Amino acid sequence: MKILTLVRQVPDAEARVKVTGTSVDLDGTTLVIDGMDEYGVEEALRLREAGAATEVVALAIGPKRSEDALRTALAMGADRAVHVETDERLDAVALSKVVAQIAQTEGASLILVGGQEADWDSQALGAATAERLGWPQLTWTNELKVEGDTVTGRHDVDEGNESFSAPLPAVVTTQQGLNEPRYPTLPNIMKAKKKELRKDSLDQYGVQASVRYVNAEIQSRARMNRMIDGKDAQAAAAELLNLLRNEAKVLA
Amino acid sequence: MILIVAEHAGGKLAKSTLEMVSAARGSGREGPVTLLVLGQDVAGVANEAAKYADQVLVGDSAAVAQYSPEVWAAAAAQIAQEGEASTVIIGGSRSGREYAPRVAVKLDAPYLEDAISLKADGDTLSAQRYTYLARVTETVQASGPVIVVTAKPGSFAPAEALSAAGEQYDIDLEVPAPRVTITGKTVEKTSRVALSEADVIVTGGRGVGNPENFGKYVEGLADSIGAGVGATRAVVDAGWRPYAEQVGQTGKTVQPKAYIALGVSGAVQHLSGMGKSKFIVAINKDAEAPIFKVADYGIVGDVNEIVPALIAASKG
């Protein structure tokens, strides 16, 4: 079985975000592989190590710099990588068309993708890709097993969690709790440089963006930041309650 | 028509459904506001839905008794096609955001995800949404005969009932059998007010110390002021509290009138889930905790001392 694992490059979670003009400006920002995708890469490697998969292919669709995220995936242990290079920002419905085509030409039986993108906060790519391929999907997965053509595991749902069983091929979206991603070691980083990283052009996939991104604004809601002295617990509690009741008017 | 897939649980219409009706009415998109009620034995929900919509389509069948992304997507897409919907609005819950993309692909429609506002201009629909862990508000646009939208819970005011109830129609659904088998389910319920409905939320982080303290201080304060209880990812991962209480990027997004964070450090992943609360209160020993930067009222102090005093004073 071949696994396709998607990787995106995003700002480090603690990095400051700035907007220039009508969009987020990433100049000078530290960029890393999306943490939620990293769980997908790790899970793919574990499935290969357990004998459930034969090959792990990492895929990135994005600007030239996305190569760094693919190199990270290769250094972690992915067998090879495909980079569809584009500077265009494509929505998940458009992107799913590229992912689905690559999954088909590669003959992948399992696609792993992060449950929520750390930059655009979208949760849509996994589901849209599953629909394009006519495959079932399991989202927000935090436990996964593959036996023969069946995938089982556990995932979070609206009001708790579920154990599931589904036939392959399938799309699985990953999240924290699924595993602890490994760090690439120096020898593996060196080895990764020799691994295949295929470059594709977006043109060959016939996609068109269906959503336009017209503006971005930083949330700069002013907070009162009123500090209450905590040394005297009784006095602090009384003052806080007074403020909540009479100034904020949020308590009766 | 504007097709809204109603969210309901336990025989009752969810507040998110009324929010979606409000989003539809205010959007300026064409057509009657139509609620699609899926499930089994949903007559009660359909009657309630009729108070808010121009018409209610009732898909009452064993085939849709349980939620499944493949089944829900097929049902919504079928009705959108048959009714020539201009807009399909789906809840921005975890399940809604899980099947809405499938509906968009089935309809070959653009998908505006997790909208906090909606505004039409001709056949173009603009939506605002939060990105970068809710630190940026982005405006997105799409055009077309049909557009699929998910509405972020808590972003639209719940709609008022109409003066006359809408007509109800039974519909026949052609849906596939789900391929995913659910082999076990843990539903985490709390006897307190649900996080999505609560005006005030008291949330505990690792700084409260241990599960016993969480019970004494976080639940204790919540009960004394009639609030809902939330927890950080660290607390849930440590097994102190159920997942249903988790607030943040991988948990629930909330925007109550007041959010009281006890022993919460304020990681960006947590802030993204509660940063839109009207008033934020932080109590933490660590004066450097990032939560203080977003707080309206902050107390640098020990939860073990401040909270018992708060509980006592709130009862007094």
Side-chain angles (χ1 to χ4, degrees):
Chain A
M1 175 183 79
K2 204 185 273 192
I3 301 176
L4 191 63
T5 179
L6 267 66
V7 295
R8 299 178 69 258
Q9 203 193 22
V10 297
D12 183 66
E14 304 291 338
R16 265 184 71 89
V17 179
K18 62 178 189 287
V19 166
T20 303
T22 58
S23 61
V24 171
D25 180 356
L26 296 178
D27 261 5
T29 306
T30 309
L31 298 165
V32 296
I33 180 171
D34 193 330
M36 290 232 192
D37 290 336
E38 215 174 353
Y39 298 113
V41 175
E42 176 63 35
E43 200 62 19
L45 299 176
R46 290 186 188 200
L47 288 169
R48 190 189 62 197
E49 285 157 5
T54 50
E55 194 181 26
V56 174
V57 181
L59 167 65
I61 305 162
K64 178 143 181 39
R65 56 177 170 74
S66 314
E67 221 176 281
D68 295 343
L70 286 173
R71 287 288 171 206
T72 304
L74 289 171
M76 286 172 73
D79 295 294
R80 59 192 174 83
V82 178
H83 182 194
V84 182
E85 203 175 309
T86 176
D87 285 326
E88 198 182 343
R89 178 171 169 190
L90 292 169
D91 57 283
V93 168
L95 277 176
S96 68
K97 217 171 180 176
V98 182
V99 181
Q101 286 178 62
I102 291 174
Q104 271 169 331
T105 53
E106 290 285 349
S109 309
L110 178 63
I111 298 176
L112 297 171
V113 47
Q116 177 167 349
E117 294 168 357
D119 49 1
W120 301 333
D121 287 7
S122 174
Q123 302 177 7
L125 186 53
T129 302
E131 180 62 36
R132 293 237 183 250
L133 291 162
W135 295 2
Q137 79 199 55
L138 286 316
T139 57
W140 295 101
T141 308
N142 39 33
E143 200 180 292
L144 194 68
K145 241 199 217 159
V146 174
E147 273 169 329
D149 287 335
T150 305
V151 52
T152 56
R154 195 164 52 87
H155 71 150
D156 290 337
V157 294
D158 283 334
E159 293 303 333
N161 59 71
E162 288 176 346
S163 308
F164 61 78
S165 162
L168 288 174
V171 175
V172 168
T173 82
T174 52
Q175 66 153 324
Q176 195 170 338
L178 180 60
N179 54 46
E180 274 303 322
R182 68 195 68 187
Y183 287 105
T185 59
L186 188 60
N188 286 340
I189 293 170
M190 302 311 284
K191 263 192 247 169
K193 291 186 175 161
K194 294 194 184 111
K195 288 182 180 174
E196 181 192 327
L197 196 162
R198 190 179 94 209
K199 292 275 186 178
D200 282 4
S201 133
L202 184 66
D203 301 343
Q204 65 199 85
Y205 293 97
V207 299
Q208 237 181 340
S210 57
V211 172
R212 299 182 293 280
Y213 300 88
V214 295
N215 194 33
E217 275 171 59
I218 295 277
Q219 284 298 292
S220 55
R221 170 147 177 212
R223 293 285 177 184
M224 291 190 286
N225 290 124
R226 185 172 311 185
M227 298 305 292
I228 300 163
D229 189 347
K231 283 193 199 86
D232 178 344
Q234 253 75 27
E239 190 180 346
L240 176 61
L241 276 180
N242 178 43
L243 289 169
L244 286 172
R245 282 176 177 146
N246 302 314
E247 187 179 83
K249 299 190 195 308
V250 289
L251 285 186
Chain B
M1 69 179 185
I2 302 177
L3 183 68
I4 300 168
V5 185
E7 290 194 325
H8 58 93
K12 290 193 68 140
L13 213 53
K15 188 172 151 199
S16 59
T17 304
L18 305 190
E19 294 170 4
M20 288 191 275
V21 168
S22 190
R25 286 188 197 156
S27 70
R29 290 286 275 180
E30 305 238 323
V33 174
T34 306
L35 276 172
L36 171 63
V37 178
L38 298 173
Q40 197 171 21
D41 301 323
V42 288
V45 175
N47 286 335
E48 204 189 335
K51 293 181 199 160
Y52 298 93
D54 300 318
Q55 53 182 358
V56 178
L57 306 179
V58 190
D60 197 326
S61 126
V64 290
Q66 298 299 323
Y67 162 75
S68 137
E70 289 178 81
V71 174
W72 249 242
Q78 180 202 325
I79 302 307
Q81 258 158 352
E82 287 174 4
E84 295 178 6
S86 67
T87 320
V88 181
I89 304 181
I90 292 168
S93 56
R94 181 157 288 193
S95 54
R97 291 175 76 181
E98 174 181 75
Y99 76 88
R102 296 192 83 119
V103 179
V105 170
K106 276 180 194 293
L107 298 174
D108 196 18
Y111 173 44
L112 301 179
E113 184 175 14
D114 217 23
I116 56 167
S117 78
L118 281 181
K119 195 165 176 270
D121 181 5
D123 76 340
T124 296
L125 188 60
S126 295
Q128 285 181 302
R129 62 186 301 266
Y130 298 132
T131 57
Y132 290 88
L133 293 167
R135 289 180 288 179
V136 174
T137 304
E138 183 177 68
T139 308
V140 290
Q141 275 180 356
S143 307
V146 55
I147 297 170
V148 178
V149 178
T150 44
K152 188 176 185 67
S155 306
F156 299 88
E160 302 285 333
L162 296 168
S163 50
E167 291 284 331
Q168 292 187 39
Y169 304 93
D170 289 327
I171 51 166
D172 291 322
L173 295 168
E174 295 151 28
V175 295
R179 284 173 292 181
V180 175
T181 310
I182 303 308
T183 51
K185 192 172 173 103
T186 311
V187 177
E188 292 162 338
K189 279 222 159 95
T190 159
S191 56
R192 294 185 181 82
V193 52
L195 285 178
S196 56
E197 320 260 327
D199 280 342
V200 181
I201 292 172
V202 180
T203 286
R206 282 298 280 259
V208 306
N210 56 50
E212 291 70 41
N213 282 358
F214 198 105
K216 264 195 285 186
Y217 303 134
V218 183
E219 294 188 284
L221 180 58
D223 288 343
S224 74
I225 58 176
V229 168
T232 62
R233 170 113 209 184
V235 158
V236 173
D237 280 348
W240 297 3
R241 305 299 298 180
Y243 171 68
E245 290 178 1
Q246 187 176 311
V247 173
Q249 186 195 9
T250 52
K252 291 195 170 69
T253 301
V254 296
Q255 32 189 332
K257 286 184 190 151
Y259 189 88
I260 303 174
L262 306 180
V264 172
S265 65
V268 284
Q269 289 85 348
H270 185 73
L271 301 182
S272 79
M274 48 60 85
K276 307 299 176 222
S277 303
K278 197 164 172 212
F279 284 91
I280 295 173
V281 179
I283 301 175
N284 197 314
K285 267 198 300 222
D286 175 10
E288 302 298 316
I291 189 82
F292 286 119
K293 292 200 183 108
V294 301
D296 293 290
Y297 305 126
I299 301 178
V300 177
D302 192 341
V303 166
N304 297 280
E305 293 169 12
I306 311 277
V307 180
L310 261 177
I311 293 171
S314 68
K315 286 174 180 160

